[in-house]
Amino acid sequence: MPYLGSEDVVKELKKALCNPHIQADRLRYRNVIQRVIRMSKLDQWGQAEVLNFLLRYQPRSEEELFDILNLLDSFLKSSSPGVVMGATKLFLVLAKKFPHVQTDVLVRVKGPLLAACSSESRELCFAALCHVRQILHSLPGHFSSHYKKFFCSYSEPHYIKLQKVEVLCELVNDENVQQVLEELRGYCTDVSADFSQAAIFAIGGIARTYTDQCVQILTELLGLRQEHITTVVVQTFRDLVWLCPQCTEAVCQALPGCEENIQDSEGKQALIWLLGVHGERIPNAPYVLEDFVENVKSETFPAVKMELLTALLRLFLSRPAECQDMLGRLLYYCIEEEKDMAVRDRGLFYYRLLLVGIDEVKRVLCSPKSDPSLGLLEDPAERPVNSWASDFNTLVPVYGRARWATISKCQGAKHHGPELPNTASFATSGSLIPEENKETIQELPDSGALMLVPNLQLTAEYFEKTWLSLKVAHQQVLPWQGAVHADTLQMALQVVNIQTIAMSRAGARPWKAYLSAQDDSGCLFLTELLLEPENSEIQISVKQNEARTETLNSFISVLETVIRTIGDIKS
Amino acid sequence: MISQFFILSSKGDPLIYKDFRGDSGGRDVAELFYRKLTGLPGDESPVVMHHDDRHFIHIRHSGLYLVATTSENISPFSLLELLSRLATLLGDYCGSLGEGTISRNVALVYELLDEVLDYGYIQTTSTEMLRNFIQTEPVVSKPFSLFDLSSVGLFGAETQQSKVAPSSAASRPVLSSRTDQSQKNEVFLDVVERLSVLIASNGSLLKVDVQGEIRLKSFLPSGSEIRIGLTEEFCVGKSELRGYGPGIRVDEVSFHSSVHLDEFESHRILRLQPAQGELTVMRYQLSDDLASPLPFRLFPSVQWDRGSGRLQVYLKLRCDLPPKSQALNVRLHLPLPRGVVSLSQELSSPEQKAELGEGALRWDLPRVQGGSQLSGLFQMDVPGPPGPPSHGPSTSAPPLGLGPASLSFELPRHTCSGLQVRFLRLTFRPCGNANPHKWVRHLSHSDAYVIRI
């Protein structure tokens, strides 16, 4: 047990958190917790540990919750950043039903976080910046008035500058957009190519809301004729015209001339795409593409050649006279002389399409030129604080959600059963799941012909009898973190028509649950869920009263999807 | 909590390695860390790295890497705080933190780690508690002796030694030789401010930020109580008003947990019983509203002839400090456009030095007196595609790559916010021996002073 000040304190904590008798007696439990909180002789490490332990406590009433929050108030003013962040996390987790309390505590922690962002210790600065970004996901205007603190300094290491640029991009609002854009404009001409490219992408991000100013800045940057700048600007333009079609005119006017300065694959692809889709507004589009066609033999990147094929065909539809000849030459080269099979196949496909007729070509190739609704889909709408509150003050914001998901998957799943098709595709990219949203679970891919009967009424005795008479058909282990929220799991299973017969009380070790489901042909699936005391994996055992493998597999994939989704919501 | 802790030199040689949990699986964790650190792609941060279900967190301090590994998802703030505290603690015990001192005091370091961390859990980092357990004595390098210097004249050698502040204080171990109390009865108080400034190309001030700390290094026996008196007109926050003048204002203040603030409200006096070693008594920050003028203003004028590629940069540096103050070790760093290989210079005074290195101009001014103006004229050729021939040099947009000028300097005996320590008194001495020496120093230095051209 870590050193917390005295033996008595340690005994009290152990008593409160582990002894089921005390847990059952609410008054005694509450008294112990109160005494733990009031301890004054702890040093900063002890305080941080106590705040961590208290995360497991569930206050029983609103009054008790506010009592505890009042007692914890002084921790928020501590001089140790670990204690302040631990207290903030505890507030956010305990007050999950009171969003105004959460917002209030986030306002109070603004000061210490900003102080940490300007700390002498680079590493502390970095951790604080990651947490600032986390907060900005839910409260975008939170740090808008302090934008100056996030201006990059000349001597900072690269990783801190990148984080600051991201933060600047996210805290833009009407009042500070002018200054922020000017600052970012200064970074675009920085000596370090990586940093200037990151700044340009950030301006592209801001351009989705403040299109005109950003397009103007980007056009000016094109005038510098610097290779690393031009390629990124053209890529940004490509993304921008897709989301904000109103700037297409300005972009088309800026494009002529930049083909001389682009040498890398990404830039070329972006330029060619723009010329193909919006070629009718750019006067010299066919001539630029002709240049590319002339040099296609020496072109090293197959992706560029693919893009060139599509773009030229599109341009041919709108300006046939100018493009006919070079289209012919390009197709001839791609089909007869090209060594890369993907390019050759695409050339062949377009050739055959042309043989079918021009109407067919138009039908296939005339795709929409922009899709503003994609912008809304991509931008994660302000996520509720509860979705990341339990990740605050842990390593998750420091890595970023996407990276954390890959790390926890590496640490996890050991499959014992047969390899199942991975239907849990939306459970992998964490940032796009709307949490606590039961609708996503309803959209489960229809796994084969499995239709589970709703409102199955199975008595406990029948379940027990059937359970004992059958043998285990399938066993599997899934990674799991933390305790189980019984209500959430039960409701999620209900949505897919899996009935819960019995569940252990939360916090019981080991934790068990028994589920049953029946499909429309009368086949019964009985399931046991077992959570080991170490809380790192959940064991599923399924019994079937008729031996049918494909329905069994379908049922298991449904169950697995539900459990993974619930697991990912919390972790 | 922590599985392993190790210290690497700047080249990756392990100096200290301690395994708390024994779960390294037989691999050389330190080697793994260093390889991962040097092979990290540019956009990933090295602060927290992940390999093979363990997380590596490290800080860089005095050129050393202090690394902790863990397999749990713990708070990064607590862990970084622990690593910083360990760095300070090792510095207190060994004198200073560096490759040499660690290698000389390996036994002491391991003993400290044993007491501070038990099975990876933090027991205590308080020097008071640790004193009772640490037995090993630190090994210090040979003490500084004036007779080693060949350039110092023999005359006046004794007087120099008595007047100069003991320069070994910074590197002397605090917590050693308990028998030798009388020799080291001193306390050092530093008010250190870091100034960050950003000035736009038209001369307007975009950002100014001052981060200040009051640091205490105490060799006094524990149990002594000291009182630090700050300027009485010191106000915290925008609405407070004390005294009759504009006052000295800071935005936010935070104190160490052991400081008693009962007299702070009334008389701006801090009272504390410091443990031996280093301690940050108070931290404060101030932005956007500096009472005193900025120490330096730069007036650049750039003339660039695109046709011939000739670039002429005239820099006038004006120091706005009060006439009695001075700035030391002033260095101006100006990145130049790519391809510049040589430049000619005219400087206004002989003790300055300017040279071209790594694509940038470095102009060194060892001492700048307050109120003075210094200038330098630099001419160079910028290679590149010849632009349209212009009619002689013009003052249009400067060439790409003529980057922002950054200044670094130290301002001794000066605080940008105006905060001063009025007095430092010892109110209670447990041993009642000779009067301890008290040294108070105010210092500001630049953190990032950037002027855009």
Side-chain angles (χ1 to χ4, degrees):
Chain A
M1 211 55 179
Y3 180 84
L4 284 177
S6 70
E7 285 301 311
D8 305 323
V9 168
V10 173
K11 274 191 226 151
E12 296 287 359
L13 262 182
K14 271 190 169 159
K15 266 200 290 185
L17 294 166
C18 305
N19 191 337
H21 295 298
I22 291 207
Q23 283 186 348
D25 183 346
R26 293 182 192 179
L27 202 56
R28 273 175 78 190
Y29 194 37
R30 189 183 156 197
N31 281 341
V32 173
I33 292 289
Q34 297 272 357
R35 216 169 332 159
V36 163
I37 296 175
R38 285 182 217 271
M39 286 185 297
S40 54
K41 292 268 175 49
L42 295 173
D43 64 356
Q44 74 240 56
W45 317 111
Q47 288 173 355
E49 286 290 336
V50 164
L51 291 166
N52 210 13
F53 286 141
L54 287 175
L55 282 170
R56 302 186 214 176
Y57 181 62
Q58 302 271 7
R60 305 286 171 165
S61 72
E62 199 175 309
E63 192 192 311
E64 191 184 351
L65 169 69
F66 285 110
D67 263 344
I68 295 182
L69 293 183
N70 281 335
L71 286 170
L72 292 174
D73 211 60
S74 56
F75 285 153
L76 281 175
K77 302 192 210 106
S78 162
S79 58
S80 147
V83 173
V84 171
M85 296 303 155
T88 312
K89 176 177 181 172
L90 188 56
F91 265 73
L92 290 176
V93 167
L94 284 181
K96 53 175 164 293
K97 297 200 183 59
F98 303 97
H100 59 281
V101 175
Q102 291 179 328
T103 319
D104 187 53
V105 82
L106 286 174
V107 169
R108 290 178 65 186
V109 85
K110 232 201 283 194
L113 257 182
L114 286 172
C117 288
S118 345
S119 151
E120 244 179 337
S121 154
R122 299 256 161 85
E123 295 84 10
L124 192 63
C125 181
F126 176 74
L129 282 171
C130 294
H131 283 78
V132 164
R133 284 185 68 189
Q134 184 75 285
I135 295 180
L136 282 176
H137 283 322
S138 291
L139 301 168
H142 204 60
F143 290 98
S144 295
S145 49
H146 299 275
Y147 64 95
K148 286 192 185 169
K149 296 240 180 212
F150 300 103
F151 283 177
C152 296
S153 152
Y154 196 66
S155 54
E156 278 169 352
H158 190 60
Y159 56 91
I160 289 193
K161 285 197 210 175
L162 286 180
Q163 288 290 326
K164 282 192 171 175
V165 163
E166 293 287 324
V167 171
L168 278 176
C169 183
E170 284 166 25
L171 56 70
V172 158
N173 67 7
D174 288 333
E175 282 144 12
N176 60 21
V177 65
Q178 196 57 35
Q179 287 95 317
V180 170
L181 280 178
E182 260 187 53
E183 185 68 19
L184 284 173
R185 164 102 181 63
Y187 299 155
C188 294
T189 45
D190 192 81
V191 165
S192 147
D194 285 333
F195 183 53
S196 60
Q197 289 181 343
I200 298 175
F201 278 126
I203 296 187
I206 298 178
R208 294 181 195 178
T209 8
Y210 297 96
T211 322
D212 297 319
Q213 293 154 302
C214 297
V215 171
Q216 196 183 355
I217 293 181
L218 291 170
T219 315
E220 277 168 23
L221 286 173
L222 277 182
L224 294 172
R225 299 178 178 279
Q226 291 283 311
E227 205 178 291
H228 63 279
I229 295 182
T230 311
T231 164
V232 176
V233 169
V234 172
Q235 288 173 47
T236 316
F237 275 154
R238 173 196 54 190
D239 298 333
L240 206 52
V241 300
W242 186 253
L243 294 169
C244 304
Q246 67 267 26
C247 65
T248 319
E249 195 54 52
V251 167
C252 291
Q253 282 176 354
L255 274 185
C258 42
E259 64 274 2
E260 301 157 17
N261 300 18
I262 302 183
Q263 298 297 330
D264 67 315
S265 158
E266 285 292 318
K268 281 186 191 170
Q269 284 176 52
L271 180 63
I272 294 174
W273 184 89
L274 278 168
L275 290 173
V277 174
H278 296 285
E280 65 254 15
R281 296 200 221 186
I282 306 174
N284 67 340
Y287 306 103
V288 177
L289 286 178
E290 181 159 22
D291 265 333
F292 280 110
V293 172
E294 298 290 323
N295 299 328
V296 74
K297 287 198 182 70
S298 50
E299 179 62 57
T300 34
F301 303 109
V304 174
K305 296 185 209 179
M306 303 253 271
E307 199 66 56
L308 188 58
L309 274 168
T310 315
L312 198 49
L313 196 55
R314 281 203 178 110
L315 196 58
F316 172 69
L317 292 174
S318 46
R319 293 160 83 158
E322 295 156 305
C323 304
Q324 182 174 354
D325 192 40
M326 62 174 131
L327 182 60
R329 276 182 283 148
L330 182 63
L331 283 175
Y332 178 78
Y333 170 79
C334 290
I335 298 173
E336 298 294 329
E337 296 174 31
E338 174 59 46
K339 295 196 188 62
D340 184 296
M341 280 300 117
V343 178
R344 184 180 173 276
D345 280 347
R346 188 177 277 208
L348 207 51
F349 165 65
Y350 285 155
Y351 179 69
R352 288 180 183 148
L353 193 57
L354 281 167
L355 284 178
V356 172
I358 203 74
D359 292 322
E360 200 59 34
V361 180
K362 281 209 173 110
R363 204 170 66 82
V364 168
L365 276 185
C366 281
S367 46
K369 300 206 176 175
S370 66
D371 190 2
S373 63
L374 194 64
L376 297 169
L377 242 185
E378 256 198 7
D379 286 331
E382 287 172 20
R383 292 153 69 210
V385 176
N386 287 330
S387 58
W388 50 263
S390 53
D391 291 336
F392 196 80
N393 199 29
T394 63
L395 293 173
V396 178
V398 180
Y399 281 117
R401 271 197 102 98
R403 193 110 196 271
W404 183 257
T406 44
I407 289 175
S408 41
K409 279 194 183 8
C410 294
Q411 279 180 330
K414 296 181 270 266
H415 281 253
H416 295 313
E419 277 300 316
L420 295 171
N422 190 5
T423 50
S425 52
F426 56 82
T428 48
S429 65
S431 58
L432 288 179
I433 305 180
E435 269 75 9
E436 311 278 299
N437 194 347
K438 304 295 183 294
E439 279 74 47
T440 47
I441 304 176
Q442 216 159 27
E443 289 164 35
L444 275 178
D446 216 324
S447 32
L450 185 70
M451 293 292 291
L452 292 173
V453 171
N455 299 325
L456 176 68
Q457 297 296 340
L458 211 62
T459 61
E461 294 86 349
Y462 183 74
F463 181 96
E464 198 175 1
K465 199 166 57 128
T466 324
W467 178 263
L468 292 170
S469 66
L470 290 172
K471 279 211 289 277
V472 176
H474 178 87
Q475 229 177 11
Q476 188 176 329
V477 172
L478 286 179
W480 188 266
Q481 284 189 340
V484 180
H485 289 260
D487 303 14
T488 321
L489 188 60
Q490 191 166 356
M491 270 175 51
L493 291 167
Q494 189 71 27
V495 170
V496 292
N497 298 326
I498 299 180
Q499 183 197 16
T500 313
I501 299 286
M503 251 188 205
S504 301
R505 206 186 49 238
R509 285 149 202 266
W511 184 88
K512 283 192 194 175
Y514 288 96
L515 320 170
S516 70
Q518 186 178 36
D519 81 347
D520 48 2
S521 65
C523 179
L524 260 183
F525 301 98
L526 305 178
T527 315
E528 178 194 61
L529 300 175
L530 174 64
L531 189 60
E532 289 299 324
E534 302 88 58
N535 274 13
S536 62
E537 28 186 66
I538 192 167
Q539 191 181 333
I540 306 174
S541 313
V542 182
K543 295 186 183 177
Q544 196 184 13
N545 67 350
E546 291 164 8
R548 267 194 263 155
T549 336
E550 68 279 9
T551 45
L552 176 66
N553 285 346
S554 310
F555 173 76
I556 289 169
S557 65
V558 168
L559 184 60
E560 196 184 350
T561 313
V562 171
I563 293 182
R564 277 195 202 275
T565 316
I566 300 286
D568 278 350
I569 282 178
K570 287 181 334 9
S571 64
Chain B
M1 277 270 279
I2 300 181
S3 303
Q4 286 94 25
F5 172 77
F6 45 93
I7 301 183
L8 301 180
S9 75
S10 50
K11 295 192 217 50
D13 309 315
L15 302 169
I16 301 279
Y17 180 87
K18 182 116 181 118
D19 194 340
F20 294 107
R21 299 265 184 139
D23 59 354
S24 65
R27 287 164 300 175
D28 188 356
V29 181
E31 169 76 30
L32 218 71
F33 164 77
Y34 193 68
R35 242 182 307 138
K36 195 150 171 87
L37 182 71
T38 44
L40 203 62
D43 55 350
E44 269 183 39
S45 145
V47 177
V48 181
M49 302 192 289
H50 177 83
H51 184 85
D52 230 6
D53 60 81
R54 97 194 30 242
H55 305 281
F56 294 84
I57 301 190
H58 78 280
I59 65 168
R60 287 210 69 173
H61 199 284
S62 320
L64 299 174
Y65 293 98
L66 284 88
V67 191
T69 68
T70 173
S71 42
E72 297 163 33
N73 186 9
I74 52 180
S75 156
F77 291 101
S78 293
L79 204 48
L80 289 170
E81 210 185 321
L82 172 67
L83 289 173
S84 306
R85 179 72 193 132
L86 273 174
T88 318
L89 207 57
L90 290 175
D92 280 345
Y93 269 91
C94 305
S96 63
L97 193 62
E99 204 176 320
T101 51
I102 297 281
S103 340
R104 277 193 289 267
N105 290 293
V106 169
L108 174 60
V109 173
Y110 278 114
E111 196 178 352
L112 264 175
L113 287 175
D114 267 333
E115 293 302 328
V116 170
L117 290 159
D118 181 25
Y119 198 59
Y121 289 100
I122 307 174
Q123 299 301 301
T124 175
T125 54
S126 138
T127 46
E128 280 313 300
M129 316 271 339
L130 287 170
R131 268 178 70 100
N132 305 326
F133 300 108
I134 304 294
Q135 307 291 332
T136 327
E137 292 295 318
V139 174
V140 288
S141 53
K142 206 157 64 87
F144 171 75
S145 162
L146 269 180
F147 294 105
D148 289 337
L149 287 178
S150 53
S151 57
V152 175
L154 284 178
F155 296 106
E158 296 92 37
T159 46
Q160 265 191 328
Q161 198 164 24
S162 57
K163 274 196 188 152
V164 164
S167 58
S168 56
S171 56
R172 216 180 333 135
V174 178
L175 298 145
S176 67
S177 55
R178 275 164 278 198
T179 53
D180 213 358
Q181 290 293 350
S182 58
Q183 215 183 35
K184 37 171 210 74
N185 215 356
E186 296 167 299
V187 61
F188 299 85
L189 191 66
D190 285 339
V191 180
V192 182
E193 289 190 352
R194 284 182 295 140
L195 181 63
S196 288
V197 163
L198 182 60
I199 300 180
S201 41
N202 59 2
S204 64
L205 181 62
L206 286 180
K207 172 181 104 145
V208 64
D209 203 50
V210 175
Q211 305 271 338
E213 282 184 359
I214 300 185
R215 287 193 211 133
L216 180 73
K217 184 156 182 167
S218 159
F219 289 86
L220 301 171
S222 53
S224 334
E225 190 185 82
I226 64 171
R227 291 168 84 216
I228 304 171
L230 303 171
T231 329
E232 286 232 358
E233 297 91 29
F234 175 46
C235 313
V236 179
K238 298 228 181 309
S239 50
E240 213 186 336
L241 197 62
R242 297 166 80 97
Y244 299 107
I248 290 151
R249 190 174 298 279
V250 300
D251 288 341
E252 274 190 19
V253 151
S254 72
F255 300 95
H256 194 263
S257 47
S258 59
V259 175
H260 297 287
L261 295 171
D262 32 355
E263 290 175 63
F264 184 69
E265 266 311 297
S266 46
H267 296 106
R268 297 295 189 226
I269 295 179
L270 306 172
R271 191 165 59 89
L272 71 155
Q273 296 185 324
Q276 285 191 340
E278 272 188 45
L279 167 60
T280 303
V281 177
M282 180 171 118
R283 282 206 175 96
Y284 55 94
Q285 56 237 63
L286 169 63
S287 5
D288 288 337
D289 246 340
L290 217 54
S292 54
L294 288 178
F296 286 102
R297 296 297 297 227
L298 183 73
F299 302 99
S301 108
V302 176
Q303 289 187 339
W304 186 32
D305 185 3
R306 272 187 193 244
S308 64
R310 192 128 192 109
L311 177 65
Q312 185 173 300
V313 179
Y314 178 67
L315 295 171
K316 188 161 76 164
L317 189 67
R318 190 182 75 195
C319 180
D320 287 331
L321 294 173
K324 292 223 178 79
S325 318
Q326 55 184 352
L328 297 180
N329 298 332
V330 181
R331 168 177 284 198
L332 186 133
H333 175 103
L334 181 67
L336 297 172
R338 234 186 294 184
V340 171
V341 289
S342 69
L343 62 99
S344 71
Q345 50 181 276
E346 284 168 33
L347 302 171
S348 63
S349 92
E351 61 180 19
Q352 301 166 25
K353 209 170 45 135
E355 53 188 28
L356 176 68
E358 290 166 6
L361 167 70
R362 276 206 314 269
W363 185 18
D364 288 309
L365 305 100
R367 196 198 313 254
V368 178
Q369 198 68 23
S372 63
Q373 275 190 10
L374 299 155
S375 58
L377 178 66
F378 305 97
Q379 289 177 343
M380 63 209 84
D381 284 314
V382 180
S390 56
H391 309 291
S394 63
T395 46
S396 58
L400 189 66
L402 190 66
S406 46
L407 274 172
S408 69
F409 51 84
E410 275 173 32
L411 306 173
R413 294 183 296 279
H414 180 266
T415 52
C416 304
S417 64
L419 181 65
Q420 299 271 327
V421 169
R422 275 184 298 134
F423 60 83
L424 170 63
R425 282 191 207 126
L426 216 66
T427 45
F428 175 69
R429 262 174 278 143
C431 309
N433 49 5
N435 232 350
H437 294 282
K438 295 172 283 196
W439 306 91
V440 177
R441 181 169 75 134
H442 300 86
L443 175 67
S444 301
H445 63 91
S446 63
D447 187 18
Y449 202 101
V450 175
I451 302 156
R452 296 207 173 129
I453 306 277

